[in-house]
Amino acid sequence: AQSVSQHNHHVILSEAASLELGCNYSYGGTVNLFWYVQYPGQHLQLLLKYFSGDPLVKGIKGFEAEFIKSKFSFNLRKPSVQWSDTAEYFCAVNSVNDYKLSFGAGTTVTVRA
Amino acid sequence: EAQVTQNPRYLITVTGKKLTVTCSQNMNHEYMSWYRQDPGLGLRQIYYSMNVEVTDKGDVPEGYKVSRKEKRNFPLILESPSPNQTSLYFCASSGAASGRGEQFFGPGTRLTVL
């Protein structure tokens, strides 16, 4: 069975600081990888995804993530955060032949103005 | 507009009173799923459906039922709700055309069981 681990439960940053959220998964086969964001009071939205190809993927709002297959990792980064990036971030994984997503526990990011 | 809708958005009920949360999608997606979100636990899958009349248990199915009589609808039924089912519930859908795993989420239903 797949499992997803997010390293940080809660991250507090100041505006303009850089953000990196860790995500590791355990699964022996080929996977698709996702980062979802949930702004306060809203539903989950797709931030970025990796299916294949270039392991560095760019998403919306200046976010990017790097897939490192040897480390089973898919870390999310943003060079300079804004107050509006305050949200909960979820890493998710599925097998390429399956719809079922496994989610990490989420990381709450608070950006202070 | 492509979307997943859920109703109601907020619900307060009492133990044992049957309730249904509706979910509908307009993207002709074959896959639909229900999740519950609890602090520190992320999203956990309750039930999913690969297509009409095809449903299966997820990771936390106890106390829930679902049905898939039409492709667009996937209601979640709590026959006898209990306080431990107080949670935030999300419906999601996915289709092969959008890439398996890329799921579109509804706005959520916040359920409180007293």
Side-chain angles (χ1 to χ4, degrees):
Chain A
Q2 302 161 27
S3 68
V4 182
S5 173
Q6 292 184 235
H7 306 161
N8 311 98
H9 179 61
H10 194 180
V11 173
I12 302 173
L13 303 161
S14 298
E15 275 194 310
S18 64
L19 172 69
E20 180 159 0
L21 302 181
C23 172
N24 285 88
Y25 66 94
S26 66
Y27 182 69
T30 305
V31 296
N32 298 322
L33 297 147
F34 305 84
W35 276 97
Y36 282 86
V37 60
Q38 185 179 29
Y39 298 104
Q42 295 188 27
H43 62 283
L44 276 79
Q45 303 169 44
L46 183 68
L47 202 52
L48 49 77
K49 62 188 177 186
Y50 173 80
F51 284 174
S52 64
D54 188 344
L56 184 64
V57 293
K58 295 191 184 301
I60 60 172
K61 305 188 180 188
F63 285 90
E64 65 178 30
E66 184 176 13
F67 172 47
I68 303 179
K69 190 174 181 180
S70 61
K71 295 185 178 179
F72 297 88
S73 71
F74 190 55
N75 293 353
L76 181 71
R77 298 194 290 253
K78 184 170 184 178
S80 176
V81 295
Q82 301 173 312
W83 177 81
S84 58
D85 293 321
T86 294
E88 190 158 17
Y89 294 81
F90 293 94
C91 182
V93 175
N94 78 311
S95 164
V96 295
N97 296 316
D98 193 1
Y99 285 101
K100 178 180 167 60
L101 271 181
S102 296
F103 283 87
T107 298
T108 301
V109 173
T110 301
V111 180
R112 293 183 170 156
Chain B
E1 180 190 356
Q3 60 182 345
V4 179
T5 56
Q6 293 178 230
N7 282 292
R9 294 288 313 279
Y10 302 91
L11 181 58
I12 300 174
T13 189
V14 296
T15 299
K17 186 176 181 181
K18 182 179 177 180
L19 65 92
T20 299
V21 183
T22 64
C23 172
S24 184
Q25 51 94 3
N26 62 1
M27 295 168 280
N28 200 36
H29 284 166
E30 55 270 22
Y31 181 86
M32 297 185 75
S33 181
W34 276 102
Y35 297 89
R36 60 178 290 172
Q37 183 182 8
D38 301 290
L41 297 177
L43 276 80
R44 294 179 293 168
Q45 190 180 51
I46 303 170
Y47 267 94
Y48 65 95
S49 169
M50 293 296 295
N51 217 320
V52 175
E53 302 292 2
V54 181
T55 64
D56 209 345
K57 296 177 181 179
D59 300 315
V60 288
E62 293 77 21
Y64 304 94
K65 284 176 55 177
V66 292
S67 69
R68 188 95 180 269
K69 292 185 171 60
E70 303 166 284
K71 196 171 185 179
R72 63 184 292 126
N73 296 324
F74 190 46
L76 178 70
I77 304 154
L78 284 72
E79 295 267 0
S80 183
S82 62
N84 65 11
Q85 292 178 298
T86 292
S87 187
L88 180 59
Y89 291 86
F90 288 101
C91 180
S93 71
S94 182
S98 59
R100 290 189 176 133
E102 181 177 350
Q103 296 191 9
F104 296 79
F105 285 83
T109 295
R110 187 166 290 283
L111 172 64
T112 302
V113 183
L114 303 174

